[in-house]
């Protein structure tokens, strides 16, 4: 069945399409009785405004954009982005806004998508994620003039409004906890080195290890996949002076690391302690359940959406430092054997 149109309403009401347009948009030009009849017919036949057509006429699109420069296969299994999007969606739905989502191959394609969406009036604003060091998207977004909120550290967000959490504090808490357990050889399996949050964690990890007297510490960068996480774990655990604890930058790699440790006949946590960032149901269903850095990721997404909607409405909004991930100790961490 085709969607109902203004012409259908006009035909049933016995009026012109112009009169229907006046009535539906709350404009003068029709009597109150005619307006009431037109609105009743529109509701009866299930008519809804064509948002795309209204956007082309300068009206709001009631949609925001999110382009993700991540392989689609990773998004399907990575809990972080699914939880983040659920929080964004929940906040947008309360205002009858839609989320326009597209997976792109690189930053150039991502910028082109935002230019097209904004130029065609398909979105009223956008959320930018995965900030890179000296990110070329930031000046592009500033020049575009579109309302944008960045989920990332303000040091790399330029003039754009940022929502972020203190990753450095979480790294320091994690290493201090492992040191208190007695660990002196701690490694970290990290994400992509060009990401701002990875660079912040790298610096915090090196600094806190040095300050707490960790004898051997090492960071290995990966692409966040389970395959790369497993490969990095094998390399670390095959070294003569293998770590007694490993911190992983996402839950998928942490679970992969647990499998590798078991494959190499190491007992977790007696032979190896494991910490996952971020915590997720995935961390809790394996055995032993993984110690994780826990935060309310849907709320994180909702806070970004709230600030973007405020920008779209023309209001003043400020950057938000959200709650930092907190360490939740479970069965995968213990004093070294």
């Amino acid at each position: 069945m085709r969607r109902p149109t203004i012409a259908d309403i006009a035909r049933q009401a016995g009026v012109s399409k112009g009169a229907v347009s006046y009535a539906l948009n709350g404009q003068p030009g029709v009597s109150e009785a005619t307006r009431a009849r037109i609105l009743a017919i529109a509701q009866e036949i299930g008519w809804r405004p064509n948002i795309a057509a209204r956007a082309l006429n300068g009206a709001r699109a009631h949609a925001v954009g999110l382009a993700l420069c991540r392989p689609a296969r990773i998004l399907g299994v990575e809990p972080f982005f699914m939880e983040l999007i659920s929080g964004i969606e929940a906040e947008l739905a309360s205002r009858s806004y839609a989320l326009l989502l597209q997976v792109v191959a690189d930053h150039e394609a991502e910028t082109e998508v935002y230019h097209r969406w904004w130029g065609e009036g398909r979105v009223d604003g956008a959320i930018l994620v995965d900030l890179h060091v000296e990110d070329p998207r930031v000046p592009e977004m500033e020049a575009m003039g579109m309302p944008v909120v960045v989920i990332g550290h303000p040091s790399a967000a330029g003039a754009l409004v940022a929502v972020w959490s203190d990753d450095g504090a979480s790294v320091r808490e994690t290493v201090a906890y492992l040191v208190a357990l007695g660990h002196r050889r701690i490694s970290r399996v990290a994400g992509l080195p060009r990401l701002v949050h990875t660079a912040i964690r790298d610096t915090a990890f090196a600094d806190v290890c040095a300050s707490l007297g960790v004898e051997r510490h090492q960071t290995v960068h990966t692409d966040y996949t389970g395959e790369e996480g497993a490969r990095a774990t094998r390399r670390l655990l095959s070294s003569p002076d293998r770590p007694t604890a490993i911190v992983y930058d996402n839950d998928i790699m942490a679970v992969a690391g647990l499998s590798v440790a078991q494959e190499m006949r190491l007992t977790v946590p007696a032979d190896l302690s494991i910490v996952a960032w971020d915590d997720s149901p995935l961390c809790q269903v394996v055995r032993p359940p993984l110690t994780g850095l826990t935060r309310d990721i849907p709320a994180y997404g909702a806070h970004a959406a709230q600030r973007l909607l405020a920008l779209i409405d023309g209001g003043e909004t400020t950057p938000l430092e959200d709650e930092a991930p907190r360490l939740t100790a479970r069965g995968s961490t213990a004093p070294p054997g």
Side-chain angles (χ1 to χ4, degrees):
M1 294 178 63
R2 65 181 181 84
R3 59 183 291 167
T5 66
I6 285 179
D8 296 327
I9 301 172
R11 187 164 49 252
Q12 289 198 34
V15 298
S16 68
K17 289 192 291 185
V20 173
S21 180
Y22 290 148
L24 294 175
N25 289 293
Q27 297 174 340
V30 294
S31 69
E32 288 306 313
T34 300
R35 187 189 308 277
R37 187 167 80 256
I38 288 170
L39 292 175
I41 292 170
Q43 182 174 6
E44 179 185 342
I45 69 174
W47 177 86
R48 293 291 183 274
N50 187 323
I51 297 299
R54 292 184 63 190
L56 290 174
N57 289 325
R60 283 200 182 169
H62 283 87
V64 302
L66 174 62
L68 294 176
C69 189
R70 290 280 182 108
R73 65 183 180 85
I74 295 178
L75 288 175
V77 297
E78 190 172 42
F80 173 82
F81 269 111
M82 293 301 100
E83 291 186 46
L84 184 75
I85 290 170
S86 75
I88 294 170
E89 283 274 25
E91 189 62 33
L92 295 179
S94 69
R95 291 275 304 275
S96 298
Y97 268 73
L99 179 66
L100 195 57
L101 176 66
Q102 185 165 334
V103 176
V104 295
D106 51 42
H107 280 175
E108 183 178 350
E110 182 177 346
T111 303
E112 289 175 1
V113 165
Y114 284 130
H115 273 291
R116 185 176 72 253
W117 283 349
W118 182 240
E120 293 175 355
R122 298 177 65 186
V123 299
D124 300 318
I127 294 175
L128 194 66
V129 298
D130 280 345
L131 270 185
H132 283 210
V133 177
E134 297 181 357
D135 199 314
R137 297 172 299 169
V138 171
E140 287 275 0
M141 292 296 199
E142 291 172 338
M144 204 182 307
M146 176 173 61
V148 175
V149 166
V150 174
I151 297 180
H153 199 270
S155 63
L160 303 177
V161 174
V163 174
W164 80 102
S165 61
D166 189 348
D167 283 5
S170 301
V171 170
R172 290 188 289 273
E173 179 188 5
T174 301
V175 174
Y177 167 69
L178 293 172
V179 168
L181 288 175
H183 293 277
R184 294 298 181 271
R185 300 195 306 274
I186 304 172
S187 292
R188 180 168 152 262
V189 176
L192 299 167
R194 61 184 180 273
L195 293 173
V196 170
H197 69 260
T198 302
I200 290 172
R201 296 177 191 182
D202 287 352
T203 300
F205 181 72
D207 289 348
V208 69
C209 284
S211 67
L212 294 179
V214 176
E215 298 165 5
R216 178 176 172 80
H217 57 87
Q218 181 181 2
T219 294
V220 180
H221 293 105
T222 71
D223 63 357
Y224 285 115
T225 62
E227 294 84 356
E228 281 295 305
R231 188 174 293 111
T233 303
R234 287 191 189 95
R235 191 159 61 248
L236 289 168
L237 296 182
S238 299
S239 64
D241 198 18
R242 65 173 178 81
T244 60
I246 302 178
V247 182
Y248 293 85
D249 264 18
N250 75 359
D251 46 359
I252 295 173
M253 294 195 298
V255 171
L258 174 64
S259 296
V260 168
Q262 293 168 344
E263 163 194 312
M264 297 178 73
R265 301 186 181 278
L266 296 175
T267 301
V268 176
D271 299 319
L272 176 70
S273 285
I274 291 177
V275 179
W277 186 337
D278 290 286
D279 191 9
S280 76
L282 198 60
C283 298
Q284 300 172 42
V285 298
V286 294
R287 289 294 175 268
L290 301 183
T291 293
L293 283 153
T294 307
R295 58 176 163 176
D296 190 341
I297 299 171
Y300 198 38
H303 295 158
Q306 288 167 5
R307 271 158 174 71
L308 179 57
L309 291 172
L311 283 177
I312 291 169
D313 288 338
E316 291 292 328
T317 187
T318 56
L320 171 69
E321 181 176 355
D322 218 316
E323 183 180 359
R326 306 175 311 280
L327 193 70
T328 299
R330 297 194 184 97
S332 68
T333 47

